[in-house]
Amino acid sequence: MRLPGRLSAAIQVLTDVETRKRPVSEALKSWGLANRFAGAGDRAAIGNLVYDALRRRASHAFAMGEDSPRALVLAVVLRDWQEDAAALNASFAEDSHAPSKLTEQEIQHAGSDLASAPDHVRADMPEWLAPSLLRAFGDNWIAEGQAMSGRPSLDLRVNTLKSTRERAMKSLARFSPQETAISPIGITMPAGPRDARTPNVTTDEGYLKGWFEVQDQGSQIVAALSGAKPGEQVLDLCAGAGGKTLALAAAMTNKGQIFAYDSDRSRLAPIYDRLKRNGARNVQVRAPQPDALEDLVGKMDRVVIDAPCTGTGTWRRRPDTKWKLSPELLNQRTGEQAEILENAVRFVKPGGTLVYITCSILPEENDEQIAAFRVTHPEFTSAAPADLWQAALGQPIPDGVATAGSGLALTPRLTGTDGFYCNILTRAL
């Protein structure tokens, strides 16, 4: 397929997303199944067009004067990919699969700047979230939103139970891997421009042997900040598919015990194969059932909560969720978080540690959630962020990462990662 045909396909996929209200990943998969002639390069390019359109939906729609699938896709190819409008129209005339010719109005709008745009448009955020982001980031909130609208890198965590970073990078040499800037066991492959393809690392020999896992550097960092040590008794209360469980197991060098639990059995299902491939032997999976964790009450050195949240920190990877988020869903998530925090308290032994993590950038789920928790549980004290960072990562904490509530906030602008929040609380003896 040539670019005109890819543009038509991207418009078709976005239309499917809008009319059927389904995730982008499903719409792209459906299009691929219905158009098997398309190669891997075509599918990657179409996916990039669709995701780029959604990442900057507000600013592209403002510039184009509408937010139709056609307007958004044309905005990407003209504003982001810097295609020449006249050359594009010429190529449209030669391709039977091309969209209709660009109008003079569309060409003119594509060249618009955002000087007169409202702040939330320049930040590419839903307007109702502006007060929350202002509380979280102050005058930098627009810049934070703009950074969140870029493409993410592909990050890997080296499994130190089986390999070293040098060995894993040698296996991945054909992809030109780089060492992560912060995580001492991370590998990254920066996102490419335009129609660049993301490396398929899961077919690599190193992945199949358990040398590394796909894991954003931010997730690696908060796992390291959790501070799990060999020999400890650790409860991973929201283990999900086990990404952070595996990181904790490696940090503990397979010594001690991790109890991996999740209230949703289907989310927990992938963990078994992942544990085997990674060689993690100190993990005991607890399936959801009555009294599944009662024998652990008051005995845990460390309880890790990777809390269910709005996922605002992953907007670069799942930009469609940015525009679906509602105040009602945010309220639902904060209620769930408060309930999980309250439940977690009973497992933390005196002098033990409670680790609260979200993949959110919203203060309601982060500092404000912890502040409310500490009102009812004054026996818990947050550790100093700068000390935690230095101890876990061996380097000074970056500016802006420490929050007013003694938490740590990671973002694309501050740390070059997905958005994460972490607060480490110690229970009094």
Side-chain angles (χ1 to χ4, degrees), residues 20-78:
R20 300 181 64 178
K21 309 297 182 186
R22 61 174 175 172
V24 173
S25 57
E26 289 185 13
L28 285 167
K29 182 179 179 180
S30 177
W31 185 91
L33 291 173
N35 298 272
R36 295 182 183 274
F37 63 86
D42 295 322
R43 293 193 297 272
I46 294 163
N48 285 345
L49 286 165
V50 171
Y51 279 107
D52 284 352
L54 292 172
R55 289 183 181 109
R56 299 183 59 197
R57 179 172 188 162
S59 59
H60 283 328
F62 181 88
M64 299 298 287
E66 60 173 306
D67 69 348
S68 68
R70 175 184 167 91
L72 295 176
V73 171
L74 292 180
V76 170
V77 77
L78 293 171

Side-chain angles (χ1 to χ4, degrees), residues 351-404:
T353 301
L354 179 61
V355 180
Y356 178 76
I357 298 168
T358 72
C359 54
S360 173
I361 59 174
L362 302 181
E364 292 92 335
E365 302 181 274
N366 298 338
D367 266 2
E368 292 171 11
Q369 185 69 262
I370 292 300
F373 171 77
R374 290 186 59 187
V375 168
T376 55
H377 291 282
E379 72 274 21
F380 283 89
T381 304
S382 294
D387 294 343
L388 282 170
W389 192 277
Q390 183 69 49
L393 301 163
Q395 56 184 271
I397 190 170
D399 292 341
V401 168
T403 70

Side-chain angles (χ1 to χ4, degrees), residues 54-342:
L54 292 172
R55 289 183 181 109
R56 299 183 59 197
R57 179 172 188 162
S59 59
H60 283 328
F62 181 88
M64 299 298 287
E66 60 173 306
D67 69 348
S68 68
R70 175 184 167 91
L72 295 176
V73 171
L74 292 180
V76 170
V77 77
L78 293 171
R79 294 171 60 80
D80 293 347
W81 293 23
Q82 297 295 302
E83 284 286 333
D84 179 76
L88 205 57
N89 263 344
S91 68
F92 283 8
E94 300 172 356
D95 194 322
S96 60
H97 299 290
S100 58
K101 184 180 177 180
L102 291 162
T103 66
E104 287 301 321
Q105 185 179 43
E106 287 173 331
I107 295 172
Q108 182 179 355
H109 282 175
S112 303
D113 63 38
L114 301 179
S116 63
D119 288 347
H120 74 276
V121 170
R122 292 191 293 127
D124 270 296
M125 296 278 183
E127 184 175 7
W128 70 274
L129 285 175
S132 293
L133 273 297
L134 179 61
R135 291 202 309 278
F137 302 110
D139 292 341
N140 293 317
W141 77 272
I142 295 175
E144 290 286 353
Q146 291 169 343
M148 189 65 79
S149 66
R151 291 185 185 179
S153 58
L154 173 64
D155 296 343
L156 312 175
R157 178 187 59 81
V158 175
N159 176 21
T160 53
L161 295 174
K162 286 192 170 187
S163 188
T164 63
R165 181 151 67 175
E166 180 182 15
R167 188 182 188 187
M169 289 181 71
K170 185 176 180 180
S171 178
L172 294 162
R174 65 194 182 280
F175 298 129
S176 301
Q178 304 172 21
E179 294 185 356
T180 45
I182 299 173
S183 171
I185 54 172
I187 297 171
T188 186
M189 281 152 273
R194 296 170 55 94
D195 58 356
R197 294 170 60 179
T198 300
N200 182 10
V201 298
T202 58
T203 60
D204 185 80
E205 176 188 25
Y207 178 82
L208 299 174
K209 289 184 175 180
W211 292 356
F212 58 81
E213 283 285 323
V214 177
Q215 186 174 26
D216 179 75
Q217 185 185 192
S219 183
Q220 297 177 43
I221 291 169
V222 294
L225 292 169
S226 298
K229 299 175 178 63
E232 286 188 341
Q233 299 291 299
V234 177
L235 172 59
D236 189 351
L237 194 54
C238 305
K244 292 185 182 66
T245 307
L246 295 170
L248 295 173
M252 295 168 65
T253 64
N254 265 338
K255 298 173 183 176
Q257 187 74 57
I258 301 173
F259 301 92
Y261 173 84
D262 198 281
S263 61
D264 187 329
R265 193 178 297 269
S266 62
R267 281 200 302 262
L268 199 60
I271 197 172
Y272 298 96
D273 287 340
R274 298 182 76 186
L275 290 172
K276 183 177 180 180
R277 183 167 52 80
N278 277 257
R281 299 188 301 273
N282 66 331
V283 179
Q284 183 182 132
V285 180
R286 295 287 182 94
Q289 57 187 7
D291 302 330
L293 302 175
E294 290 307 304
D295 60 318
L296 308 182
V297 172
K299 298 178 181 178
M300 295 295 99
D301 296 298
R302 201 169 302 268
V303 176
V304 178
I305 302 172
D306 188 3
C309 66
T310 55
T312 51
T314 64
W315 276 344
R316 295 186 303 169
R317 303 180 193 279
R318 301 181 61 201
D320 51 328
T321 64
K322 183 193 307 191
W323 311 109
K324 295 177 182 177
L325 182 60
S326 65
E328 292 74 22
L329 180 58
L330 175 57
N331 288 336
Q332 178 184 335
R333 289 291 179 261
T334 55
E336 292 168 350
Q337 291 154 9
E339 184 177 340
I340 291 170
L341 275 164
E342 188 64 36

